[in-house]
Amino acid sequence: MARWQPNAKGRLGEAAMELYAERGYEQTTVGEIAERAGLTARTFFRHFADKREVLFAGSEALGPAIQAAVAAAPPTAMDGVTAALDAVAERIGGDRDFSLRRQRVIDATPELQERELIKLARLAGVLRAALREQGVPDPEAALAAETGLAILRVGFERWLTEPDERPLAAVLREAGERLGALLARA
Amino acid sequence: MARWQPNAKGRLGEAAMELYAERGYEQTTVGEIAERAGLTARTFFRHFADKREVLFAGSEALGPAIQAAVAAAPPTAMDGVTAALDAVAERIGGDRDFSLRRQRVIDATPELQERELIKLARLAGVLRAALREQGVPDPEAALAAETGLAILRVGFERWLTEPDERPLAAVLREAGERLGALLARA
């Protein structure tokens, strides 16, 4: 096997996604992923900490992206939320096909659903702290952050399931507007 | 030891809460809880499935309570959310001192925080399904349900931390109004 493997990370990720879909996440081993990619387990571990990271790589970057976006936005709760959602959309809205396949694996695996919940709850905490930094007091900062995550959850699901692909940022903005209309009617 | 133990469940719960606060949840065993209560482990397991259930007993009833409240409310998204929050407040708003002690144990234990997140996510799912049953379409049903849980999370925290105790239902309603005002300004 050649020492230099072109796009090893991409091939490993693709092999993992195929196997998760075919056999299920829990039934797939790192050895099988590496084999499918024509690489070794050692190479796998050079790119991913474990088989879960194939699905969650990149999520650590969302917290800092949210912080930076809120810090650069006008210092109001909803401007911060809008900026945070735009920043998240820019990072996770690039490849709907990958996101759809990923979502199917997560929906089929309770352990991964819990992981995803925890990730989103952490992001709500980051967003709340970033809004506080901007001078937004609690409970407004907490309410805005939790609502931002509600918009993200619902809008992301909608983005994945709509027949025609629209930019994720646009779907999130629309979800926010629909929520505003709902609460205005209340 | 007497065969008939007056209020065994209450004594076990109190002993568990004391030990969780003193030693930490993870370091406490069922045997120690029973001993502190002057009862046997066998008696413990007659009342609780495990030491976690001391903290989560009663949460299974929240889903059916939400369903019933939404079914009895006017069939709009926000009427359903308000009815659901009132029903939850009625069930978990009765004993702030217990809730405060419980929250401290949960905040100190990552495993329990995850459990709580999962519980709340399930309740969002129940609320969304109940709103759909009422004829509220998605994404409105999903947005309203997620927002209802956002109000519950933030309002519950506020209820626990305010110096003066107000009824939980009132704190939740106020949180909902503040959120409406936030979104109206956006």
Side-chain angles (χ1 to χ4, degrees):
Chain A
M1 190 172 292
R3 284 204 183 181
W4 180 77
Q5 290 111 0
N7 193 22
K9 188 171 187 176
R11 281 158 61 197
L12 287 161
E14 180 56 34
M17 296 300 283
E18 283 173 21
L19 288 164
Y20 297 165
E22 287 167 26
R23 316 185 176 174
Y25 170 80
E26 274 149 7
Q27 285 72 47
T28 299
T29 68
V30 166
E32 290 164 345
I33 296 169
E35 199 190 332
R36 170 77 59 109
L39 297 165
T40 63
R42 225 181 121 181
T43 304
F44 179 93
F45 288 119
R46 217 173 290 143
H47 295 285
F48 300 103
D50 52 37
K51 67 176 180 170
R52 196 170 72 183
E53 215 204 306
V54 176
L55 299 162
F56 289 91
S59 10
E60 323 80 55
L62 291 177
I66 287 174
Q67 282 172 319
V70 173
T76 76
M78 294 318 293
D79 283 319
V81 167
T82 302
L85 291 176
D86 283 346
V88 170
E90 196 184 319
R91 285 179 182 261
I92 67 172
D95 186 345
R96 191 168 80 142
D97 180 58
F98 171 83
S99 293
L100 256 176
R101 293 165 74 201
R102 175 183 181 277
Q103 196 61 45
R104 277 190 212 113
V105 176
I106 289 177
D107 289 345
T109 318
E111 175 199 333
L112 297 174
Q113 288 164 32
E114 297 183 1
R115 182 81 223 142
E116 185 86 336
L117 277 176
I118 293 159
K119 187 187 89 179
L120 292 170
R122 287 215 186 102
L123 292 182
V126 169
L127 178 50
R128 177 183 183 173
L131 292 170
R132 294 291 309 269
E133 281 286 314
Q134 290 281 86
V136 178
D138 269 327
E140 274 73 15
L143 284 166
E146 292 285 350
T147 303
L149 267 288
I151 293 167
L152 177 59
R153 267 188 280 260
V154 176
F156 188 74
E157 180 191 315
R158 197 166 172 79
W159 177 65
L160 287 183
T161 51
E162 282 184 330
D164 293 319
E165 181 167 351
R166 290 189 288 156
L168 176 56
V171 181
L172 295 180
R173 278 183 188 249
E174 190 196 76
E177 284 159 17
R178 280 178 186 242
L179 179 59
L182 262 187
L183 284 165
R185 281 205 296 277
Chain B
M1 190 171 296
R3 282 204 185 184
W4 181 77
Q5 290 112 1
N7 193 22
K9 188 171 185 176
R11 281 158 61 197
L12 287 160
E14 180 55 34
M17 295 301 283
E18 283 174 22
L19 288 164
Y20 295 166
E22 286 167 27
R23 313 186 178 173
Y25 169 81
E26 274 149 7
Q27 285 71 48
T28 300
T29 67
V30 165
E32 290 164 345
I33 295 169
E35 199 189 331
R36 171 77 59 108
L39 296 165
T40 62
R42 227 182 120 178
T43 304
F44 180 93
F45 288 119
R46 218 174 288 144
H47 294 285
F48 300 103
D50 52 37
K51 68 175 179 171
R52 198 170 72 183
E53 214 204 308
V54 176
L55 298 162
F56 289 92
S59 8
E60 323 80 54
L62 291 177
I66 287 174
Q67 282 172 321
V70 173
T76 76
M78 295 318 292
D79 283 319
V81 167
T82 302
L85 291 176
D86 283 346
V88 170
E90 197 184 318
R91 284 178 181 263
I92 67 172
D95 186 346
R96 191 168 81 142
D97 180 58
F98 171 83
S99 293
L100 256 175
R101 293 165 74 200
R102 175 182 180 278
Q103 197 61 45
R104 276 190 213 113
V105 176
I106 289 178
D107 288 346
T109 318
E111 175 199 332
L112 297 175
Q113 288 165 31
E114 297 184 1
R115 180 84 222 140
E116 185 86 337
L117 276 177
I118 293 159
K119 187 187 89 181
L120 292 170
R122 285 214 188 103
L123 292 183
V126 169
L127 179 50
R128 176 183 183 173
L131 293 170
R132 294 292 307 270
E133 281 285 315
Q134 291 282 85
V136 178
D138 269 328
E140 274 73 13
L143 283 166
E146 292 285 350
T147 303
L149 267 289
I151 292 167
L152 177 59
R153 267 188 281 260
V154 176
F156 187 75
E157 179 191 316
R158 198 166 171 77
W159 177 63
L160 288 183
T161 51
E162 281 183 331
D164 294 318
E165 181 167 353
R166 291 188 287 156
L168 176 55
V171 181
L172 294 180
R173 278 184 188 249
E174 189 195 79
E177 283 157 17
R178 280 179 186 241
L179 179 58
L182 262 187
L183 284 165
R185 282 205 296 276

